[in-house]
Amino acid sequence: MKLRLSTSNILSGGPSIVRRPTSEKSNVELLNGLRLNFASCKEAAANVDEQVAEGLSNGHESIKNNCIPFESWTSLDGDCLHIPSKAFQATPLLEESSEYDITVKFFLLPGSRFADWRLHLQKAIAAVLQELGVESVNLLIVSFPGISFDADTEGRGDCGSNSIDASDSELFDAMLDAWAQVEFLKSSGVALQIGLAEFGQDRLDKFLPRTKHRPTVDQINVRDCCVVPESMMLFAKQENLELLTHNDCTNILPQGTLRELLDGGEYGAGVLAGSSGTDQGLRGDLKPEWVVKYTAVVRDRGVIENKGYFASAELSEQRLRGED
């Protein structure tokens, strides 16, 4: 079974979603967005008595899993469980799509199968297009697992997370295969610009010659006061690459974090059986696969109108309560 999680538009959630200090983990926005959306959809789906309703009105954290079964606010579509239900989703843009700059960043997560990467990308982009009610995005950036830009070693030829050697040749081939899907989205007009994340000069040197549509953006995480090494800037200029910086986690949704978010504990969503011993919810091995972040900026005002996330995970050997 696939689990598809959605924050919907986190900017419509009021002061619960706020700008975080850059020193804080960058996945806080994702996790807060998911928690808030789950709580809002539980409340909207609840057909409860006055006593429980009063408890709900005291704040989202008061919503207890045993009050609202997950079946009432999620939906099953084939082998995919949408959390929350698709009926609660879709916050399309208010203006014509030409009025926006839409940026999408797609994260492949550690442990996801190489053979599934192209399909994961297809699913993620389709979800964003449907959510926003558009046919294309301005920029698509892809982040591969296990890669991080290291400003300290960049340009020295040191072995590191941006070096290519025999031990990661399988990963490199998988990245090229996934990039072919990115190129298809570019050639079909779905992504007007395409880019990579965390690629240093060594990796780009080997990657770029094997592409049909070259990336125009390289997004890197610079930890040392946002200073990009001069060698990297010169290389980017030579290759017509725009360098952007970010503070995203490469592994933006670890397995333990996702299980805690979905389990039947006091503040979990109640979709999975709780680690505390409760039999409510689904049970099985949980494996996060991908996350996609989207941002729609009103072009003439520079205002972010819509921002959100989708995430996908695989749940194996699942069974509902009482199916022993």
Side-chain angles (χ1 to χ4, degrees):
M1 173 184 285
K2 299 291 185 181
L3 306 182
R4 178 76 57 81
L5 288 64
S6 170
T7 65
S8 194
N9 184 5
I10 63 174
L11 301 181
S12 64
S16 297
I17 302 296
V18 297
R19 185 182 296 272
R20 299 285 174 175
T22 55
S23 60
E24 194 164 313
K25 288 185 178 180
S26 60
N27 64 349
V28 167
E29 182 179 67
L30 166 62
L31 299 177
N32 280 354
L34 289 171
R35 289 190 179 101
L36 179 62
N37 199 32
F38 295 170
S40 298
C41 294
K42 284 183 181 182
E43 186 172 1
N47 181 14
V48 294
D49 58 33
E50 271 189 18
Q51 182 177 3
V52 175
E54 182 180 354
L56 295 178
S57 67
N58 290 332
H60 291 306
E61 288 188 354
S62 299
I63 297 177
K64 305 302 183 184
N65 298 321
N66 58 357
C67 294
I68 308 170
F70 75 88
E71 293 90 346
S72 67
W73 59 279
T74 64
S75 62
L76 188 62
D77 182 8
D79 70 341
C80 182
L81 181 68
H82 292 268
I83 311 171
S85 169
K86 293 175 71 175
F88 294 111
Q89 298 177 28
T91 51
L93 300 177
L94 301 177
E95 309 293 339
E96 295 293 325
S97 60
S98 59
E99 302 296 322
Y100 299 89
D101 283 321
I102 302 172
T103 299
V104 174
K105 185 171 183 180
F106 175 67
F107 302 82
L108 284 159
L109 301 181
S112 57
R113 291 185 292 267
F114 292 167
D116 295 334
W117 281 4
R118 295 181 69 155
L119 180 60
H120 291 338
L121 180 56
Q122 292 175 28
K123 298 283 189 181
I125 294 301
V128 172
L129 297 180
Q130 183 177 20
E131 175 76 10
L132 298 180
V134 299
E135 296 181 352
S136 64
V137 301
N138 298 87
L139 174 61
L140 169 61
I141 297 173
V142 179
S143 176
F144 293 102
I147 298 175
S148 60
F149 179 82
D150 190 343
D152 293 332
T153 60
E154 184 61 31
R156 298 180 187 175
D158 296 353
C159 292
S161 59
N162 265 299
S163 300
I164 299 292
D165 55 32
S167 64
D168 64 358
S169 61
E170 186 178 2
L171 170 63
F172 186 67
D173 289 343
M175 290 191 296
L176 286 169
D177 184 62
W179 187 253
Q181 180 62 33
V182 178
E183 292 175 325
F184 172 77
L185 294 173
K186 165 70 174 173
S187 62
S188 61
V190 174
L192 305 184
Q193 291 189 75
I194 51 179
L196 296 161
E198 299 301 301
F199 270 51
Q201 182 174 343
D202 291 342
R203 195 176 294 276
L204 285 167
D205 265 336
K206 293 177 173 60
F207 190 87
L208 293 178
R210 299 180 63 179
T211 63
K212 294 180 180 178
H213 292 283
R214 293 162 64 98
T216 58
V217 167
D218 186 16
Q219 193 184 51
I220 57 177
N221 191 334
V222 182
R223 293 180 291 274
D224 299 326
C225 302
C226 296
V227 176
V228 179
E230 184 178 357
S231 61
M232 186 64 190
M233 290 191 292
L234 292 173
F235 178 82
K237 184 177 180 179
Q238 176 184 334
E239 298 294 337
N240 295 316
L241 274 172
E242 181 181 6
L243 290 179
L244 302 177
T245 59
H246 71 92
N247 68 336
D248 296 318
C249 296
T250 302
N251 186 9
I252 194 170
L253 191 60
Q255 182 179 28
T257 300
L258 179 58
R259 180 166 287 278
E260 181 181 356
L261 182 71
L262 295 176
D263 77 8
E266 185 177 5
Y267 298 112
V271 175
L272 302 180
S275 56
S276 59
T278 177
D279 288 331
Q280 294 182 348
L282 300 170
R283 287 179 280 176
D285 295 327
L286 186 66
K287 180 184 295 184
E289 296 177 321
W290 55 262
V291 170
V292 66
K293 175 173 70 172
Y294 56 91
T295 307
V297 178
V298 183
R299 186 169 293 162
D300 61 351
R301 301 200 303 272
V303 175
I304 302 176
E305 179 185 299
N306 201 312
K307 183 179 184 180
Y309 297 80
F310 286 97
S312 179
E314 183 176 30
L315 183 68
S316 59
E317 300 180 4
Q318 76 281 354
R319 60 187 185 278
L320 292 171
R321 177 179 50 182
E323 292 185 352
D324 296 324

